[in-house]
Amino acid sequence: MQSTCSNFNGKLDNHYILGSELVSGYSYKVCKAKDCLTGKLYAAKVFNSCHSDIEKEIKFNKLVAQTQNSYFQRYISSSEGSIEYSEDKDEEDLFKYIIFELCSKGDLYDYIKCTESGLEEKNCKILFYKILKGIQTLHQMRLSHNNIKAQNILLDGENFDIKISNLENSSYTRNENGKKILQAKKGDSDAYMPPEIILGLNYDGEKADIFSLGVLLFFIMNCKAPFPIAKVIKNKSVSLRLYSLIKEKKNINLYWNYLEKYTIKKKLSNEFKNLFIRMVSYNPNERPTIEQVLNDDWLKDITNLKEEEFKIYEHVLNSELKEREEIIKLLK
């Protein structure tokens, strides 16, 4: 794909001026896009015209938009058009594109990594609760995300609103009769993949999402990966065998002792440990549903909050995120 998104060097469909690149994937780039008529800024996900899954991605974004769930990056429109390059006005390329709301605060990964420490536990609970409520909407629609990771959790506005993004790999988990549909397409981050995907097996999208959510939870809490990869490795160092210890179950204390001594260097509550281990179980059938995670003991002090109390907790979370935003600005 030609470089289309740098220093406002192109105009998309004679409607949007393309600005700086936000992120790129194998077959697309996401750029800032300014509406030529209103001057409003959006995010444009621009695909090669031969990209095969864009119609599915558009369909799923439209379905999610109809739910009016505020925890997703808002779909605006989609079309097919040409890009005119400012360097050569005679050159035009044909692209398909999706216009989304622009999430002004960037992605969650930067907010965790900027201090090399996880969020305060109570703030982690509020943030994770919001992510769960978003993914719960997908699962209720018979959809799985299939690519949950910190880079696909965006933040927006003065209140650092959670916006789940990138439904490119999403798929139906059941047909209209309720029969399970197994998936084959992988995401793009091995660290978040459950063992069944790493082994090349067809998988249950909802159970895979739960696994990825477990890894995400650990990262938000500790700014560390819980294991290098969800692969059973024998006769190697403890650091490489970490997921093997989870799979074997009998050595789970060795897993936590190693992490708390050499990696995270802090004590974690038993409620957190129990929830995490269940979410990343080797056997997909042993992982909880999204509803069971929401009702877990670790989250009960959040799920039982009244609306006014929840807003107070949100304010504390936003204060921590604001402090981290200032650090990100300094690092840039």
Side-chain angles (χ1 to χ4, degrees), residues 317-330:
L317 167 63
N318 293 344
S319 295
E320 182 174 356
L321 293 175
K322 179 65 176 177
E323 291 174 2
R324 289 172 180 248
E325 181 189 25
E326 296 303 319
I327 295 172
I328 292 171
K329 288 177 181 178
L330 288 173

Side-chain angles (χ1 to χ4, degrees), residues 4 6 35 37 55 59 190 204 247 250 253 289 315:
T4 63
S6 178
D35 189 307
L37 296 177
E55 297 304 328
K59 175 183 176 181
D190 287 351
D204 180 326
K247 193 255 182 182
K250 62 183 180 181
N253 286 335
T289 64
H315 179 73

